[in-house]
Amino acid sequence: MNEKRPYNRGLILAVLMIAAMSGALMQTSLGTALPTLMTAFNIDLSTAQQATTWFLLVNGMMIPLSAYLANRIPTKMLHIVSYVLLLIGISLSMFTPERQDMWWLFVAGRIVAAMAVGIMMPMLQVLIINMYKPEERGTAMGLMGLVVGMSPAIGPTLTGWILNKDHNILGLTLSSDWRSIFVIPFIIIIIATILAPFLLKDVMETKKLKLDVTSLVMSVAGFGLFLWGFTNVAAMGWSDFGQVILPIVAGVLLLAAFAWRQLKLPVPFLDIRVFAKKEFTISTVALLLATMAMYGVEMMLPTYLQNIRGLSTLDSGITLMWGALFMGFMSPVAGILYNKVGVKVMCYFGFGILALGTVPYVFLNATTPTIVISVLYALRMAGIAMVMMPLTTAAMSALPDEKGADGTAANNTLRQVSSSVVVALLTSVVQNVINNNTPSASLKASDSIAYAGQMMNASMDGFQTAFLISLIFAVLGFIFVFFMKSNKEAN
């Protein structure tokens, strides 16, 4: 039940944001480390990306369950359990032996961590809705965006800095080994775990709800099959029926049956009726497009910088650093501006900046100055910050408060699943373009220089195609703004 004594909103939000920082770092910190992991475990790009795609997918699959857990388990207990779960997941990945046959353990750790993050992140939004009045939520969501937005954005830079050389922080030695990229998130979540019993309160009232196991199984199987098909595209190609087409189709059918079941249940596992509210649906779709446009470049760029440009992990991280800083600066500003000018104006500017910043990426080559890449990346992340929290706030404000947990679960589920799909999709696109344009082995034997040049061109074609798809997402997002209301909050 809800604790009757007053609680300090600021202290609760502080603990939640500390924990969210650790979870958010886990989402994208591997981006810069992929080439290092490929070497350490002797795996290819498509296999290495599984650590990201499966994290994002499991994160998305857990979010519908988080709505049930938020109503069933006291706030404090739920968070403490999720923090401990995140500690276990980080530990599994961090201590995986460097062997190709042990890669599954690394991915298993990512899956366990994703389960924890899939509970923590949506709960942060739900608690903000429950603790703050509608007129205060823009600022609170902006502060949340400072952590939830900036942490994954700064992840690649932080990873590059760690992998460049050994570091000594407050007496703690961080070696340049890939395991060290997990140390900082590990320490952060330990701090949150220690503070949680003393500072967190049971903000939401609990209810005796029955878990619909059938819906849970259908959603997990549906999303799992759907992504499994996409992750197999890189290795198998779109013509493979058994491991690509069949899983995707089966996943779509299962998800359709899942949706139909939710409409029939008196108390649905995931209340998709929230999409009957037009403003919620439009804001959510626009948010998905912004998310896919962000990940489409953010997850591909470090590999381009290291494999094509030959940059070190540190230099590739520094190249992306200004984007993280711009996003961190703009997130709270966007929250304040949302309260003043409304979501529609914010999104026109945000998606416009995002699209303009993405256009030059389609024409990147092996000699594009890194300063140009860095400036464009900063511009893109500023545009992302201008739309991300305002769209989230607008979507949640379109629903009554009692539907906040359901709306958050639906919104975040689609966002995380779209993230995992776009990473798997673009990885497969890059890999397929490279495979289709790889020069013959005979050329390698007769003219190694010409072979290297053609391989470079094949890789560039792959990355340019991925960036073009990201541009399409940004343009579609701009178009969707036309259908949004111009008032400050959707009602």
Side-chain angles (χ1 to χ4, degrees), residues 36 51 61 88 131 155 169 179 199 237 248 273 364 379 381 398 416 429 450 474:
T36 302
M61 291 191 299
I88 294 172
M131 292 192 301
I169 304 175
R179 301 176 196 279
L199 300 182
I248 292 176
R273 294 181 183 89
L364 286 186
L379 188 66
M381 297 309 282
Q416 292 300 328
V429 166

Short mmCIF file of all heavy atoms in Angstrom, two decimals, residues 36 51 61 88 131 155 169 179 199 237 248 273 364 379 381 398 416 429 450 474:
data_model
loop_
_atom_site.label_atom_id
_atom_site.label_comp_id
_atom_site.label_asym_id
_atom_site.label_seq_id
_atom_site.Cartn_x
_atom_site.Cartn_y
_atom_site.Cartn_z
N THR A 36 36.50 -3.89 -30.69
CA THR A 36 37.33 -4.54 -29.66
C THR A 36 36.76 -5.91 -29.29
O THR A 36 37.50 -6.89 -29.15
CB THR A 36 37.41 -3.65 -28.41
OG1 THR A 36 37.95 -2.37 -28.76
CG2 THR A 36 38.29 -4.29 -27.35
N ALA A 51 24.74 -8.30 -28.92
CA ALA A 51 24.81 -7.79 -27.55
C ALA A 51 23.95 -6.55 -27.39
O ALA A 51 23.44 -6.27 -26.30
CB ALA A 51 26.25 -7.49 -27.16
N MET A 61 10.57 -6.18 -24.21
CA MET A 61 9.65 -7.23 -23.78
C MET A 61 9.29 -7.12 -22.29
O MET A 61 8.22 -7.52 -21.87
CB MET A 61 10.25 -8.61 -24.06
CG MET A 61 10.36 -8.94 -25.55
SD MET A 61 10.79 -10.67 -25.88
CE MET A 61 12.38 -10.80 -25.10
N ILE A 88 23.65 -8.22 -11.20
CA ILE A 88 23.93 -9.59 -11.65
C ILE A 88 24.23 -9.61 -13.15
O ILE A 88 25.19 -10.25 -13.60
CB ILE A 88 22.75 -10.51 -11.33
CG1 ILE A 88 22.57 -10.66 -9.81
CG2 ILE A 88 22.94 -11.89 -11.97
CD1 ILE A 88 21.32 -11.39 -9.41
N MET A 131 4.07 11.79 -9.06
CA MET A 131 4.60 12.73 -8.06
C MET A 131 4.42 14.19 -8.44
O MET A 131 4.40 15.06 -7.57
CB MET A 131 6.09 12.44 -7.82
CG MET A 131 6.39 11.12 -7.14
SD MET A 131 8.12 10.96 -6.57
CE MET A 131 9.03 11.14 -8.11
N GLY A 155 27.75 7.32 -23.64
CA GLY A 155 28.29 5.97 -23.52
C GLY A 155 29.43 5.67 -24.48
O GLY A 155 30.50 5.18 -24.05
N ILE A 169 41.17 6.32 -11.14
CA ILE A 169 40.11 7.21 -10.68
C ILE A 169 39.88 6.96 -9.19
O ILE A 169 39.43 5.88 -8.79
CB ILE A 169 38.80 6.97 -11.44
CG1 ILE A 169 39.03 7.12 -12.95
CG2 ILE A 169 37.72 7.94 -10.99
CD1 ILE A 169 37.83 6.78 -13.78
N ARG A 179 36.56 -5.20 -20.31
CA ARG A 179 35.77 -5.43 -19.09
C ARG A 179 35.56 -4.14 -18.29
O ARG A 179 34.57 -4.00 -17.56
CB ARG A 179 36.45 -6.48 -18.22
CG ARG A 179 36.65 -7.83 -18.89
CD ARG A 179 37.43 -8.79 -18.01
NE ARG A 179 37.95 -9.93 -18.76
CZ ARG A 179 37.24 -11.00 -19.09
NH1 ARG A 179 35.98 -11.08 -18.71
NH2 ARG A 179 37.78 -11.98 -19.79
N LEU A 199 15.88 6.15 0.99
CA LEU A 199 15.30 7.33 0.35
C LEU A 199 14.06 7.06 -0.49
O LEU A 199 13.23 7.94 -0.67
CB LEU A 199 16.36 8.01 -0.53
CG LEU A 199 17.63 8.49 0.19
CD1 LEU A 199 18.56 9.19 -0.79
CD2 LEU A 199 17.28 9.41 1.36
N GLY A 237 20.76 -13.45 -45.19
CA GLY A 237 20.13 -12.75 -46.30
C GLY A 237 18.62 -12.86 -46.25
O GLY A 237 18.06 -13.74 -45.57
N ILE A 248 10.05 -14.00 -38.69
CA ILE A 248 9.43 -12.66 -38.74
C ILE A 248 7.92 -12.77 -38.90
O ILE A 248 7.15 -12.11 -38.19
CB ILE A 248 10.04 -11.82 -39.88
CG1 ILE A 248 11.50 -11.48 -39.56
CG2 ILE A 248 9.24 -10.55 -40.11
CD1 ILE A 248 12.22 -10.73 -40.68
N ARG A 273 -5.55 -0.16 -25.62
CA ARG A 273 -6.64 0.80 -25.85
C ARG A 273 -6.16 2.24 -25.72
O ARG A 273 -6.85 3.16 -26.16
CB ARG A 273 -7.78 0.53 -24.85
CG ARG A 273 -8.48 -0.81 -25.05
CD ARG A 273 -9.62 -0.97 -24.04
NE ARG A 273 -10.27 -2.27 -24.15
CZ ARG A 273 -9.89 -3.36 -23.50
NH1 ARG A 273 -8.84 -3.29 -22.67
NH2 ARG A 273 -10.53 -4.50 -23.66
N LEU A 364 29.14 10.66 -46.67
CA LEU A 364 30.43 10.46 -46.01
C LEU A 364 31.33 9.57 -46.85
O LEU A 364 30.86 8.68 -47.55
CB LEU A 364 30.24 9.81 -44.64
CG LEU A 364 29.68 10.64 -43.49
CD1 LEU A 364 29.73 9.84 -42.20
CD2 LEU A 364 30.43 11.95 -43.32
N LEU A 379 24.81 18.37 -33.94
CA LEU A 379 23.58 18.97 -34.46
C LEU A 379 22.43 17.97 -34.40
O LEU A 379 21.31 18.32 -33.99
CB LEU A 379 23.81 19.43 -35.90
CG LEU A 379 22.70 20.25 -36.56
CD1 LEU A 379 22.55 21.59 -35.86
CD2 LEU A 379 23.01 20.48 -38.05
N MET A 381 22.09 15.34 -32.39
CA MET A 381 21.70 15.03 -31.03
C MET A 381 20.94 16.19 -30.38
O MET A 381 20.07 15.97 -29.54
CB MET A 381 22.94 14.68 -30.20
CG MET A 381 23.66 13.42 -30.68
SD MET A 381 22.58 11.98 -30.92
CE MET A 381 22.38 11.45 -29.23
N ALA A 398 -1.66 13.12 -22.82
CA ALA A 398 -2.89 12.85 -23.58
C ALA A 398 -3.77 11.83 -22.88
O ALA A 398 -4.93 11.65 -23.25
CB ALA A 398 -2.54 12.37 -24.99
N GLN A 416 11.51 0.62 -27.46
CA GLN A 416 12.64 -0.30 -27.31
C GLN A 416 12.66 -1.35 -28.42
O GLN A 416 13.73 -1.72 -28.92
CB GLN A 416 12.58 -0.99 -25.94
CG GLN A 416 12.82 -0.05 -24.78
CD GLN A 416 14.18 0.62 -24.84
OE1 GLN A 416 15.14 0.05 -25.32
NE2 GLN A 416 14.27 1.84 -24.35
N VAL A 429 21.83 -4.57 -43.21
CA VAL A 429 21.99 -3.80 -44.45
C VAL A 429 23.47 -3.58 -44.75
O VAL A 429 23.94 -3.82 -45.87
CB VAL A 429 21.24 -2.46 -44.36
CG1 VAL A 429 21.68 -1.53 -45.49
CG2 VAL A 429 19.74 -2.68 -44.43
N ALA A 450 44.41 -2.94 -55.06
CA ALA A 450 43.11 -2.76 -55.69
C ALA A 450 42.02 -3.45 -54.87
O ALA A 450 40.90 -2.93 -54.72
CB ALA A 450 43.12 -3.31 -57.11
N ALA A 474 14.01 10.41 -40.10
CA ALA A 474 13.92 11.79 -39.65
C ALA A 474 12.89 12.59 -40.47
O ALA A 474 12.11 13.37 -39.92
CB ALA A 474 15.30 12.46 -39.74
#
